[in-house]
C-alpha cells in the first residue's frame, strides 16, 4: 500500500503512532489554566487528530505536526509481527530526539525478525545472519541486515558512527527494515498464495515433474 503522509486536516493518512492507514477525527485543542476547572478555552492555532485505530492524538500547530515528530517515516511492513511493529513505531517516535536509541531499537527489531519469523537459532544477530547466508540469502539483503546490525551496535557502544551528527542515516534504517521484511516475508507469502491458487491437476503435474 502506498504511504499516505500525515497532512493537516486530511481525513485519512498513515497514523504517525500505529502506522495504520485510517480515518482521522479532527478537533480543537483545549487548555484549562484555572484551579477550579472552569476556565477551559481554545488554544489558538492548535488542533488535534484522533486516530480511529489506536486512539492516539497527534497535535498540530499552525498546520504543522508537532507531536509525534516522525511524519516522514514509512509505517512498518504489515507482515511483521506485532511486537516487532511496536519496536519499529517506538523507534520512529524518538528518531528526531535520539537517533542512537532509534537505531538500537531497529537492530532489536531485525533480531526478532530473524529469530521469531525466519526461525533462526543463533545466539546473536551476527550468527543468525551468517546462517541465512549459508541458506542462500541474497547479497543485498545480507548487506541490509548488516547495516542495521552494525549501526545498531555502534549506537550503544563507543564507535566510529555518530548518528547524532547524521540523522539521515538513522532514517534510512527504517527503509532497510521494510526492505528486509518485504524480501524475506511478504514476497514469499505472495508467491505461495498465487502458486497454491493453481488448479490441483496443474499442481500435481508440477510435483510429478519435480520428482523426475
Amino acid at each position: 500500500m502506498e504511504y499516505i503522509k500525515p497532512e493537516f486536516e486530511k481525513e485519512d493518512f498513515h497514523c504517525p503512532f500505529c502506522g495504520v492507514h485510517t480515518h482521522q477525527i479532527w478537533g480543537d485543542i483545549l487548555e484549562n489554566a484555572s484551579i477550579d476547572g472552569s476556565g477551559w478555552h481554545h488554544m489558538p492555532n492548535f488542533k488535534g487528530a484522533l486516530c480511529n485505530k489506536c486512539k492516539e492524538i497527534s497535535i498540530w500547530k499552525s498546520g504543522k505536526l508537532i507531536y509525534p515528530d516522525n511524519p516522514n517515516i514509512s509505517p512498518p511492513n504489515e507482515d511483521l509481527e506485532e511486537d516487532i511493529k511496536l519496536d519499529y513505531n517506538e523507534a520512529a517516535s524518538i528518531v528526531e530526539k535520539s537517533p542512537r536509541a532509534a537505531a538500537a531499537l531497529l537492530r532489536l527489531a531485525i533480531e526478532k525478525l530473524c529469530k521469531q519469523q525466519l526461525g533462526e537459532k543463533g545466539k546473536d544477530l551476527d550468527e543468525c545472519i551468517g546462517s541465512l547466508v549459508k541458506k542462500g540469502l541474497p547479497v543485498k539483503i545480507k548487506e541490509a541486515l548488516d547495516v542495521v546490525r552494525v549501526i545498531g551496535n555502534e549506537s550503544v557502544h563507543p564507535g566510529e558512527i555518530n548518528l547524532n551528527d547524521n540523522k539521515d542515516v538513522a532514517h534510512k534504517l527504517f527503509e532497510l527494515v521494510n526492505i528486509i521484511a518485504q524480501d524475506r516475508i511478504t514476497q514469499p507469502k505472495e508467491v505461495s498464495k498465487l502458486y497454491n491458487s493453481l488448479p490441483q491437476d496443474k499442481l500435481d503435474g508440477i510435483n510429478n515433474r519435480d520428482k523426475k
Side-chain angles (χ1 to χ4, degrees), residues 195 198-212:
Y195 180 80
L198 294 174
Q200 187 58 49
D201 62 325
K202 302 299 182 185
L203 293 172
D204 291 341
I206 294 170
N207 290 332
N208 289 332
R209 178 204 66 195
D210 293 345
K211 290 178 181 177
K212 294 179 180 179

Side-chain angles (χ1 to χ4, degrees), residues 30-185:
L30 305 178
E31 69 172 348
N32 189 338
S34 64
I35 296 176
D36 62 3
S38 61
W40 289 102
H41 64 274
H42 295 288
M43 295 179 66
N45 302 319
F46 281 85
K47 278 204 166 184
L50 173 69
C51 172
N52 191 52
K53 176 67 175 180
C54 68
K55 308 306 180 186
E56 293 283 358
I57 299 175
S58 56
I59 300 175
W60 302 68
K61 181 180 180 182
S62 301
K64 293 183 179 181
L65 179 63
I66 62 171
Y67 176 78
D69 54 5
N70 61 327
N72 296 315
I73 303 297
S74 298
N77 182 292
E78 293 182 358
D79 291 318
L80 290 170
E81 292 183 352
E82 289 304 314
D83 64 323
I84 301 176
K85 289 180 183 178
L86 287 174
D87 291 337
Y88 183 104
N89 287 328
E90 182 180 349
S93 72
I94 62 173
V95 66
E96 292 300 322
K97 295 182 176 67
S98 179
R100 293 172 64 249
L105 279 168
L106 292 178
R107 185 209 170 282
L108 173 63
I110 63 162
E111 182 164 358
K112 287 182 178 179
L113 186 157
C114 288
K115 292 184 176 181
Q116 295 174 198
Q117 294 193 257
L118 302 183
E120 292 302 319
K121 306 297 184 183
K123 67 179 185 298
D124 55 31
L125 181 55
D126 189 45
E127 194 171 293
C128 290
I129 295 172
S131 173
L132 288 168
V133 170
K134 292 177 182 177
K135 297 174 183 176
L137 184 72
V139 172
K140 291 304 176 184
I141 302 304
K142 179 206 68 94
E143 291 176 353
L145 283 164
D146 276 324
V147 167
V148 182
R149 177 184 65 82
V150 171
I151 294 179
N153 285 344
E154 291 274 309
S155 69
V156 293
H157 301 292
E160 300 175 2
I161 302 172
N162 187 349
L163 291 182
N164 290 328
D165 291 339
N166 193 349
K167 290 183 180 180
D168 287 344
V169 171
H171 280 255
K172 287 293 183 182
L173 297 182
F174 293 91
E175 296 179 26
L176 292 183
V177 171
N178 280 337
I179 287 171
I180 294 162
Q182 177 71 18
D183 182 89
R184 296 288 87 193
I185 303 170

